[in-house]
């Protein structure tokens, strides 16, 4: 089980004192948060990708390489890389370059993006978002698996005798997760390629995501990658913790009430009851998170949103300290309940070893 | 044999409104497994419609169309969008109809427009008119902007035409609109199938 954090990189005014970090501060804070995540023992740090205010992470591979240079163990990922509006040729290059720089300590999560105006900014038609997702991803896979590519599609100029550089590290492409909120086609895409499937698990009640994850698991099995239980699933989540649960509730309420996504809407009590948001003690967060596996099946990656809604850096780092305290138990409990035939979360080293084992088997046959 | 009258209120020649009327008529024929379908161009009755607006009665050629409308089991109404609504010519045609001519009649509403920004014309202009006339309006309205004529695949003009025609046939068969919430995931849609066929 890999446990980590993911960020959208929003620049949001702190509702308790009216201060807003500058873009520069937010960018530097993100690096501090990532370094802290490694320090407390987390496995993954993932950054979003946005091209409009009030967000800062427009250049994920730059950010992740910088963090990679200052960390040793933590896996660097995205949440999400826009497969619709980025040129897949550039995604292939950028993420392969990152993979080399950080010695394979990275993967990426693809998504369609949630901001309509971004499409025309990058010359794309939003009404074709799903088709773009499919075609761009099929090309990305080709670029990472074939040394010389001849390709023709609907949405970009054809490629003839094209070689993507650098080639993936050790000949094994970065592992890909497909982030989703609602689209069954994304589940099908993840299942067909045997990739990971990451359910946002933040905005809506669990039933919505259970349906999508079950569908992905069935299709993963259908395409012969393993049994439904062996499919690679990731989940989002969010919490706010204090040692004393009432302190957590009191402290987080103004941030919840003014949060960009759900602020000025449902009460925090209703929202925590109806969605996976947990506001309370570390023990409550631990129990609620472990229950995810009861609903979604044993899964491989859990990412939490901890740095949104204008929470000050100091508070975010405290949240990470508290998460670090329950981390060993959380990991042990997840691993203890996972059947032996359900795989661990993918790492570059494990995937290279699996590839080599498969090659050895071929040779000996 | 089900009798259908399709009214096209387009004034251009050729007319995309007429084109849409023809496609809806064909789809309705298919959905009904055959029907007697008459497509009427209101443009050709423009003078009689104006006369009727002034005299209060329809000249023979126009009366013949009113009779056809009265005897039809269902109507297909297709209008261009002028100044955010249906053309005056169409309204004048409707104004001279008997008050009770369309009570209980199944009516499929469609419109064309010069821009997708006119998309709500069916629901904000046409639908209230036919609510007043006490018709049974097909849930799916079919709006076609210039963009639609060049698109293919799912969720496109042809799929909306077929959906509306299917609802009309179902209403005529006494089965309601024939549609309800579908929780299933369609594994055989064009988009879904393209995923497992990368090259």
């Amino acid at each position: 089980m890999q446990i980590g954090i993911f960020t959208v990189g929003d620049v949001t005014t702190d509702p308790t004192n009216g201060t807003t970090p500058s873009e520069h501060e937010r960018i530097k804070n993100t690096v501090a948060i990532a370094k802290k995540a490694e320090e407390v023992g987390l496995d993954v740090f993932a950054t979003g990708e946005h091209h409009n205010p009030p967000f800062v992470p427009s250049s994920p591979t730059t950010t992740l390489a910088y963090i990679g240079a200052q960390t040793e163990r933590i896996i660097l990922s995205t949440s999400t890389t826009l497969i619709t509006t980025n040129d897949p040729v550039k995604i292939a290059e950028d993420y392969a370059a990152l993979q080399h720089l950080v010695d394979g300590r990275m993967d990426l999560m693809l998504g369609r993006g949630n901001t309509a105006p971004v499409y025309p900014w990058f010359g794309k038609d939003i009404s074709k978002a799903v088709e773009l997702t499919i075609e761009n991803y099929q090309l990305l896979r080709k670029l990472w698996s074939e040394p010389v590519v001849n390709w023709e599609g609907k949405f970009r100029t054809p490629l003839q005798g094209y070689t993507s550089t650098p080639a993936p590290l050790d000949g094994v492409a970065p592992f890909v997760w497909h982030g989703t909120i609602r689209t069954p086609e994304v589940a099908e895409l993840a299942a067909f390629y045997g990739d990971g499937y990451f359910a946002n698990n933040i905005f809506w009640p669990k039933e919505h995501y259970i349906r999508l994850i079950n569908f992905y698991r069935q299709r993963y099995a259908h395409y012969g990658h393993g049994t439904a239980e062996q499919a690679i699933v990731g989940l989002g989540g969010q919490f706010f913790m204090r040692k004393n649960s009432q302190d957590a509730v009191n402290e987080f309420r103004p941030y919840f009430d003014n949060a960009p996504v759900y602020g000025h809407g449902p009460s925090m009590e209703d929202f925590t009851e109806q969605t996976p948001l947990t506001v309370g003690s570390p023990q409550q967060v631990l129990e609620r998170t472990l229950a995810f596996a009861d609903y979604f099946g044993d899964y491989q990656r859990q990412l939490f949103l901890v740095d949104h809604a204008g929470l000050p850096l100091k508070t975010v780092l405290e949240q990470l300290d508290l998460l670090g305290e329950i981390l060993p138990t959380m990991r042990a409990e997840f691993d203890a309940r996972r059947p032996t035939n359900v795989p661990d979360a993918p790492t570059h080293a494990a995937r290279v070893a699996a590839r080599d084992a498969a090659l050895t088997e071929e040779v000996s046959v | 044999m089900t009798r259908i009258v399709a009214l096209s209120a387009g004034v251009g020649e050729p007319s995309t409104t007429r084109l849409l009327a023809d496609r809806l008529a064909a789809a309705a024929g298919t959905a009904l497994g055959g029907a007697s379908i008459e497509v009427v161009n209101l443009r050709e009755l423009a003078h009689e419609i104006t006369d009727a607006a002034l005299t209060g009665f329809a000249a023979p050629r126009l009366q013949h169309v009113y009779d056809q409308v009265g005897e039809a089991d269902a109507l297909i109404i297709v209008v261009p969008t002028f100044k955010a609504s249906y053309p005056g010519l169409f309204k004048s045609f409707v104004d001279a109809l008997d008050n009770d001519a369309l009570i209980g009649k199944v009516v499929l509403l469609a419109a064309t427009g010069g821009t997708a920004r006119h998309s709500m014309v069916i629901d904000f202009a046409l639908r209230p008119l036919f609510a007043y006339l006490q018709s049974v309006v097909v849930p799916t309205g079919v709006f076609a902007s210039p963009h639609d004529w060049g698109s293919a695949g799912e969720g496109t003009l042809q799929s909306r035409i077929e959906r509306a025609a299917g609802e009309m046939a179902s209403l005529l068969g006494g089965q309601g609109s024939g549609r309800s919430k579908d929780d299933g995931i369609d594994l055989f849609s064009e988009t879904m199938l393209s995923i497992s066929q990368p090259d």
Side-chain angles (χ1 to χ4, degrees):
Chain A
M1 181 61 143
Q2 292 169 346
I3 298 165
I5 55 172
F6 64 147
T7 178
V8 286
D10 57 313
V11 177
T12 305
T13 302
D14 182 334
T16 62
N17 58 20
T19 58
T20 310
S22 67
E23 289 180 325
H24 181 76
E25 285 168 334
R26 184 66 171 102
I27 290 166
K28 290 295 197 179
N29 289 353
T30 302
V31 175
I33 290 165
K35 287 161 77 172
K36 179 75 175 181
E38 169 158 297
E39 185 193 312
V40 303
L42 288 167
D43 306 300
V44 186
F45 171 81
T47 175
E49 179 189 334
H50 287 278
H51 300 277
N52 53 303
F55 304 98
V56 291
S58 58
S59 186
T61 49
T62 310
T63 306
L64 294 176
Y66 185 80
I67 293 167
Q70 301 176 66
T71 51
E72 286 171 10
R73 291 182 333 276
I74 199 159
I75 296 170
L76 306 156
S77 188
T78 55
S79 57
T80 60
T81 296
L82 304 178
I83 187 64
T84 46
T85 49
N86 282 305
D87 181 2
V89 170
K90 199 67 189 113
I91 294 179
E93 291 176 339
D94 283 347
Y95 286 86
L98 176 65
Q99 189 190 26
H100 282 273
L101 287 167
V102 300
D103 299 306
R105 188 159 52 88
M106 56 75 73
D107 52 40
L108 68 159
M109 184 179 357
L110 299 177
R112 272 164 46 193
N114 61 358
T115 310
V118 171
Y119 285 79
W121 293 337
F122 292 91
K124 299 293 189 285
D125 173 1
I126 194 168
S127 72
K128 298 278 182 281
V130 176
E131 290 97 321
L132 272 166
T133 300
I134 295 165
E135 179 176 297
N136 285 351
Y137 187 57
Q138 288 170 339
L139 175 55
L140 178 62
R141 284 258 67 104
K142 229 176 148 63
L143 291 164
W144 274 344
S145 60
E146 298 174 20
V148 179
V149 169
N150 294 303
W151 176 91
E152 198 178 319
K154 278 199 297 194
F155 300 113
R156 90 178 297 291
T157 47
L159 298 169
Q160 290 169 31
Y162 181 86
T163 298
S164 182
T165 56
L169 179 68
D170 307 317
V172 173
F175 186 76
V176 174
W177 297 83
H178 297 261
T180 190
I181 294 176
R182 76 179 93 209
T183 312
E185 283 83 358
V186 172
E188 179 76 1
L189 197 62
F192 176 71
Y193 285 98
D195 297 334
Y197 184 66
F198 188 96
N200 148 293
N201 200 36
I202 281 183
F203 300 138
W204 293 332
K206 63 182 183 297
E207 288 68 24
H208 171 84
Y209 300 106
I210 289 172
R211 174 171 171 264
L212 284 171
I213 288 172
N214 287 345
F215 173 68
Y216 155 75
R217 287 186 182 278
Q218 287 160 18
R219 301 302 290 169
Y220 183 93
H222 169 83
Y223 285 116
H225 300 295
T227 64
E229 293 72 29
Q230 292 169 325
I232 308 297
V233 172
L235 291 177
Q238 55 177 341
F239 59 72
F240 188 86
M241 285 187 265
R242 287 298 179 201
K243 292 279 186 213
N244 175 328
S245 65
Q246 196 53 49
D247 291 344
V249 168
N250 295 344
E251 187 179 345
F252 190 59
R253 191 180 303 280
Y255 296 96
F256 177 89
D257 287 346
N258 294 285
V261 175
Y262 38 69
H264 310 286
S267 72
M268 194 167 80
E269 282 69 16
D270 283 351
F271 201 79
T272 49
E273 191 180 319
Q274 294 159 9
T275 77
L277 171 66
T278 306
V279 181
S281 68
Q283 189 58 31
Q284 284 173 300
V285 171
L286 178 64
E287 285 169 17
R288 195 120 192 252
T289 306
L290 290 170
F292 287 170
D294 296 335
Y295 309 127
F296 301 108
D298 290 284
Y299 64 112
Q300 283 72 18
R301 176 173 288 186
Q302 173 65 54
L303 299 183
F304 294 106
L305 173 66
V306 294
D307 69 334
H308 62 123
L311 289 164
L313 179 63
K314 179 174 171 288
T315 307
V316 174
L317 299 181
E318 288 164 356
Q319 291 299 305
L320 291 173
D321 276 326
L322 289 164
L323 178 58
E325 287 173 28
I326 54 172
L327 195 57
T329 313
M330 191 182 283
R331 207 181 269 129
E333 295 279 336
F334 271 130
D335 289 343
R337 61 157 290 160
R338 197 173 67 243
T340 48
N341 65 338
V342 172
D344 287 336
T347 61
H348 182 71
R351 299 179 71 237
V352 170
R355 190 271 318 268
D356 292 346
L359 285 176
T360 311
E361 204 169 296
E362 272 176 41
V363 170
S364 62
V365 170
Chain B
M1 181 70 90
T2 310
R3 283 170 305 181
I4 294 176
V5 172
L7 295 174
S8 167
V11 293
E13 196 63 54
S15 150
T16 49
T17 304
R18 172 63 197 247
L19 183 63
L20 182 56
D22 287 337
R23 286 183 58 185
L24 284 160
T30 305
L32 287 158
S36 147
I37 303 178
E38 188 73 36
V39 184
V40 178
N41 267 340
L42 290 191
R43 187 185 197 284
E44 294 161 15
L45 298 159
H47 284 276
E48 287 92 337
I49 291 169
T50 307
D51 291 344
L54 301 175
T55 63
F57 68 90
R61 236 164 45 105
L62 179 59
Q63 187 56 49
H64 174 67
V65 174
Y66 283 152
D67 292 342
Q68 283 182 305
V69 166
E71 289 158 14
D73 299 298
L75 302 177
I76 296 170
I77 304 288
V78 194
V79 302
T81 308
F82 292 172
K83 305 292 185 286
S85 185
Y86 39 73
L89 180 69
F90 171 76
K91 184 61 164 54
S92 295
F93 172 86
V94 172
D95 287 346
L97 267 173
D98 286 343
N99 272 339
D100 56 2
L102 301 189
I103 292 174
K105 222 173 269 301
V106 173
V107 178
L108 191 165
L109 300 177
T112 58
T115 160
R117 288 184 287 281
H118 283 312
S119 294
M120 297 306 289
V121 70
I122 293 173
D123 300 309
F124 281 49
L126 270 183
R127 218 177 269 277
L129 175 63
F130 284 86
Y132 169 78
L133 295 165
Q134 299 170 53
S135 306
V136 177
V137 181
V138 172
T140 297
V142 181
F143 180 84
S145 70
H147 180 80
D148 286 306
W149 297 102
S151 62
E154 296 148 19
T156 55
L157 181 58
Q158 187 55 31
S159 70
R160 298 199 299 279
I161 286 171
E162 287 166 12
R163 191 173 85 197
E167 288 173 357
M168 186 174 85
S170 184
L171 283 163
L172 285 166
Q175 308 294 309
S177 75
R179 295 174 62 230
S180 58
K181 183 169 179 277
D182 180 12
D183 281 336
I185 293 170
D186 182 8
L187 284 173
F188 302 99
S189 71
E190 219 175 299
T191 309
M192 207 55 120
L193 289 173
S194 75
I195 291 167
S196 52
Q197 295 154 357
D199 290 316

